[in-house]
Amino acid sequence: MVQDMALVLDIAMNGGALFYDKTLAFMYRRHGGSDSSWRALEGTRFDEERTYFTTIAAELEALGWKKAAKAARIRFSSRAHALTLLPKAALAKKWRGVKNLAVHVVK
């Protein structure tokens, strides 16, 4: 579920630009029943994120964007997100999710 970030990086890496406009155009919301939320608690969404970050780190390195490549390899916010979901997965007795989340935090 890294589509939003992938879109922004694709634009930036290909010389494009993003502009901020204060006009409210749409509202983005998440809810517990969404595919993204379910896959996060199961930990499966983080498999996808690890793969993406590994791939994009190599691409950023090839562009000479060393700091961005390092950030992609470290993927701090992704690991932190998985860490915050561990207690919720344990309380829900989603043991496979607990394992997947823990692996993502340390791998």
Side-chain angles (χ1 to χ4, degrees):
M1 297 294 169
V2 294
Q3 297 165 339
D4 295 342
M5 182 173 41
L7 175 62
V8 171
L9 280 173
D10 283 348
I11 291 168
M13 291 169 66
N14 287 293
L18 297 170
F19 297 95
Y20 174 73
D21 185 336
K22 291 190 273 185
T23 305
L24 181 61
F26 65 92
M27 298 285 290
Y28 183 82
R29 71 178 184 93
R30 287 195 172 180
H31 55 87
S34 72
D35 181 56
S36 177
S37 295
W38 182 84
R39 291 184 65 211
L41 201 55
E42 289 293 321
T44 56
R45 121 181 210 176
F46 295 104
D47 295 335
E48 184 178 287
E49 287 190 16
R50 269 195 316 279
T51 299
Y52 176 75
F53 280 117
T54 299
T55 301
I56 202 67
E59 292 179 25
L60 292 164
E61 191 74 40
L63 285 174
W65 296 11
K66 296 191 182 304
K67 285 184 180 181
K70 183 178 179 181
R73 283 191 297 275
I74 293 171
R75 62 182 203 289
F76 176 78
S77 62
S78 181
R79 291 175 196 257
H81 184 205
L83 184 61
T84 67
L85 293 173
L86 269 168
K88 189 175 180 180
L91 287 171
K93 296 184 169 118
K94 293 186 177 284
W95 305 120
R96 185 176 179 105
V98 169
K99 180 184 175 196
N100 290 338
L101 292 164
V103 165
H104 186 72
V105 170
V106 299
K107 186 176 178 184

